[in-house]
Each structure stands twice: as C-alpha cells, then as structure tokens.
Amino acid sequence: MVRQESDSLVLRPTRAGLHEFTESVESWLASTGISEGLLTIFCRHTSASLLIQENAASAVGRDLQRYFARLAPESEVYEHDDEGPDDMPAHLRSALTQTHLSIPVSRGRMVLGTWQGIFLFEHRRATPERRVALHLIGE
Amino acid sequence: MVRQESDSLVLRPTRAGLHEFTESVESWLASTGISEGLLTIFCRHTSASLLIQENAASAVGRDLQRYFARLAPESEVYEHDDEGPDDMPAHLRSALTQTHLSIPVSRGRMVLGTWQGIFLFEHRRATPERRVALHLIGE
Amino acid sequence: MVRQESDSLVLRPTRAGLHEFTESVESWLASTGISEGLLTIFCRHTSASLLIQENAASAVGRDLQRYFARLAPESEVYEHDDEGPDDMPAHLRSALTQTHLSIPVSRGRMVLGTWQGIFLFEHRRATPERRVALHLIGE
C-alpha cells in the first residue's frame, strides 16, 4: 500500500559552489523501507539551489561555478543589494537552476544515471546552514 | 490513506514580470484537508513560467525581470516571430525557468522557507489569462 | 486506490537539438490504466536534458538550439574537456534546463496546454542512446 515519509537535511556548505549530498539522500531513502516510489528534494532558500550533475570529474563543478559567476555576475548594478554584492546574483543563479528535484525510486534506489549526483549549489560567499526538505511516496 | 486532489487556477497578470500567487495555492491546499503530501503546480503555457523566489523585497522581482530581458533580449534576430518581437524571448525565458514546481506539504502547509513565494513569471507584453494546474497527493 | 507504475524509454536522437517524444509518453500513460495522477519523466544523463516547449512551430526548436549554443558556447575555455569541446557546454545547457518534469494527469491525459510538447534536448554532437525513466502514481 502506498505510504509517505518525510524528513529534512541540514547542509553546511563551507564555500560557494557545488556540494554533493547524494549519499545523505541514499541513506535516508534506505531508512524508509520504501523501494518503489517518487523522491522529492526541496531547497528552502532563494540564494542556494539544487542541481543534478556529473559526479565523477570535479572540474565540472568548478566550470559550472565559474560559468554562473559570468552569467549572473556581481559586477552588474542591481536595485536589490540589501545583503551585499553577492545577494542579487544568488537569486538569479537560483532562478536559472532548480529549487526542487523529483527522482523516481526503483528497487530501493534512485534511478540516477551512472554519472549523476545530487548537488547543493551554494551561491553566497558567507555560507549559512541550508535546509532541504525530503519527501518520499511509494511502497 | 493516500488520496489525491486536483484543480486549476486562472491567473490574470496585468503586465509582464513576476506575480506572486502563494496565497491562492495556500487557500486551495487548506480546502483539500490533506496535511501531509506533495503539491505540484504546472503552468500550461510556453510563454509564461513558474518560479519560487524571494517574497519580501519587490526589488528582487524587478531585478529578475530586467536580468531575463537582457539574457534573452527582444533585440536579437529569431527565426520564429509569429506573434511579434516578444514571442521567441518568451519561449527562451520559459526554458530557462520552470514549467512546474513540486513542493512537499507538512502539517497542512507547504514547506516553503520564510522568504520563499510562488510566482508566475509572465513573459509577454500582451498578458492573456494563464492557466495553472494543481495536483496534491497525500493524506 | 492509489497505485504506481514505472518504466523507461530509450530515445535515439539523430542529431543535437530538440526531439519531441510526447506521443511515447502518451502511449505509455494509456497503457497503465491510471487516469488521475502525477507523471514524472527523469533524464538519466548530464549532457542531455528535458524541456516542455512549443510543439507547433519547428522554428522555436531551432531558435532554442541556437540560443543555448550562444549562451553556453563551445568556444570558451573550460577546465573540463575530457570528451571534447561539446562536453562542458552540454553540462551547462543541461544545468540551465531540466533533468526531470512532473505533469499532472487528469481524465487519462497529461494536463499539457494546447501548444505544449515534451522534448529531449540533446546537447552532444555524437548522439548516444538516451534513457529516460517514467513514473506514475495515481488511480
């Protein structure tokens, strides 16, 4: 019978950029006993975001960070800068990536491809604790 | 026992840009009687999109609108311009943001962070009615 | 009573760009016998992505492909180029679009708008087989 589980993770990024937390999600998934279903990860912030990306080559993460730094740069003039020059670029980079990810679960595992990992994309230089909600429905 | 509810909202943006409709979603959620679950919001258009963003400072919305106007500008030459110069940029800005959002629900509320609101991002100057589908599964 | 179905599709894009596969998803949906629910499509790759876009004018697809080629160009210098000059741009274009789509189902059909189609966005020139996971929960 279909049932639900939910929880939250606290992530503590130590710098701006990509931080993989696939293993934390896998551990939680295993603890639920649900083997078939849909897992949703939701980032409760507007200056950090989520991304599924290549988990093997760390250069991909560095290239991604540099690319988004150019695409939504600090150097531009923004109306909103209440929390400093990295405030509005953080909102823009979040808007261009994901606030939530939904991943099917099959045989007790997320159906991630071989090279896919789950990342928090931290956009602020001062890196506060980040809270991520987890939801799983299945059986 | 897990059950489902679904509905649709008609949004009437009066100008291009971000339009918050968090309260409409909250009202509908309350009406369903479901307190734990997964809520999905789906935009049935390709020239408007959805975004979870900062709900406190209205300058964030204006900066976002100006940023996407520069990132996918009307000034470029596009092959597709059946409906005028804001037609193709609207598709591009939609592709760069979200067509759907899924948000876990806990204790009768969406697990939005303190500063997160749900926005329609209207990309056309002539602003037609916009239809958004709602789906909730839970108990 | 709420139940689940899951499957996977193998897509064989013959060139980089947008490839519609709405009909394959519709066929699978019809085969499940579930008429109300939530359908999730998940791309198991980090160099191809998913997009809901205009399904009528093929020029939209060509404009989208050219736009993303300019936005995340091959010409830039990236640290990561293990698989050639289209490797890192493929990751960037994936990060800017979607790895998964969730679409409510009502009366046996996805609630897509009239002009919405489901597309694989292939970012590599050499176009391998692409695997997409399908998940449906409903009744």
Side-chain angles (χ1 to χ4, degrees), chain A residues 1-4 6 38 40 42-46 71-72 76-80 82 88 91-92 94-100 102 133-135 137, chain B residues 2 36-38 51-54 57 59-60 62-64 66-68 70-71 96-98 100-104 111-113 115-116 137-139:
Chain A
M1 200 164 87
V2 171
R3 62 185 179 87
Q4 304 181 92
S6 61
L38 183 69
T40 298
F42 183 89
C43 178
R44 302 182 64 196
H45 307 275
T46 60
L71 191 63
E76 293 202 25
V77 176
Y78 302 107
E79 182 183 353
H80 176 78
D82 296 2
M88 195 60 217
H91 292 302
L92 298 177
S94 293
L96 289 165
T97 51
Q98 313 299 319
T99 298
H100 74 99
S102 289
L134 301 174
H135 177 269
I137 187 162
Chain B
V2 171
E36 309 290 321
L38 183 69
L51 214 47
I52 289 180
Q53 264 297 336
E54 155 101 30
V60 172
R62 292 189 293 272
D63 275 330
L64 272 162
R66 284 187 289 254
Y67 175 75
F68 279 92
R70 288 194 302 272
L71 191 64
L96 290 164
T97 51
Q98 312 300 319
H100 74 98
L101 302 169
S102 289
I103 309 167
V111 298
L112 295 170
W115 311 109
Q116 287 182 313
I137 187 163
E139 58 202 311

Side-chain angles (χ1 to χ4, degrees), chain B:
Chain B
M1 199 164 85
V2 171
R3 62 183 177 90
Q4 304 181 90
E5 296 284 343
S6 62
D7 207 339
S8 65
L9 291 176
V10 177
L11 303 177
R12 295 180 178 84
T14 53
R15 49 170 187 75
L18 284 120
H19 303 272
E20 186 170 4
F21 65 104
T22 315
E23 284 184 17
S24 301
V25 181
E26 283 172 345
S27 297
W28 178 72
L29 172 58
S31 76
T32 65
I34 290 177
S35 61
E36 309 290 321
L38 183 69
L39 192 155
T40 299
I41 308 170
F42 183 88
C43 177
R44 303 183 65 197
H45 306 274
T46 61
S47 56
S49 53
L50 300 174
L51 214 47
I52 289 180
Q53 264 297 336
E54 155 101 30
N55 58 6
S58 59
V60 172
R62 292 189 293 272
D63 275 330
L64 272 162
Q65 190 181 358
R66 284 187 289 254
Y67 175 75
F68 279 92
R70 288 194 302 272
L71 191 64
E74 290 194 11
S75 57
E76 294 203 25
V77 175
Y78 302 106
E79 181 184 353
H80 177 77
D81 62 355
D82 296 2
E83 298 182 32
D86 65 338
D87 186 354
M88 196 59 218
H91 292 303
L92 299 176
R93 296 170 200 173
S94 292
L96 290 164
T97 51
Q98 312 300 319
T99 298
H100 74 98
L101 302 169
S102 289
I103 309 167
V105 169
S106 177
R107 298 179 197 176
R109 297 184 67 85
M110 292 179 281
V111 298
L112 295 170
T114 311
W115 311 109
Q116 287 182 313
I118 302 167
F119 292 85
L120 177 77
F121 198 173
E122 173 58 60
H123 302 303
R124 301 300 304 266
R125 280 197 294 262
T127 52
E129 279 188 359
R130 298 302 194 174
R131 286 168 194 279
V132 168
L134 302 174
H135 178 268
L136 176 60
I137 187 163
E139 58 202 311

Side-chain angles (χ1 to χ4, degrees), chain A residues 61-76:
Chain A
R62 292 190 292 273
D63 276 329
L64 271 162
Q65 190 181 358
R66 285 188 288 255
Y67 175 75
F68 278 92
R70 289 194 302 271
L71 191 63
E74 291 194 11
S75 55
E76 293 202 25

Side-chain angles (χ1 to χ4, degrees), chain A residues 62-63 66-67 70 111, chain C residues 43-44 71 76 79-80:
Chain A
R62 292 190 292 273
D63 276 329
R66 285 188 288 255
Y67 175 75
R70 289 194 302 271
V111 298
Chain C
C43 177
R44 303 182 64 197
L71 191 63
E76 294 202 25
E79 182 182 354
H80 176 78

Side-chain angles (χ1 to χ4, degrees), chain A residues 77-120:
Chain A
V77 176
Y78 302 107
E79 182 183 353
H80 176 78
D81 63 355
D82 296 2
E83 297 181 34
D86 65 338
D87 187 352
M88 195 60 217
H91 292 302
L92 298 177
R93 295 169 201 174
S94 293
L96 289 165
T97 51
Q98 313 299 319
T99 298
H100 74 99
L101 302 169
S102 289
I103 309 168
V105 169
S106 176
R107 299 178 196 178
R109 296 184 68 86
M110 294 179 280
V111 298
L112 295 170
T114 312
W115 310 109
Q116 287 182 313
I118 301 167
F119 293 85
L120 177 77

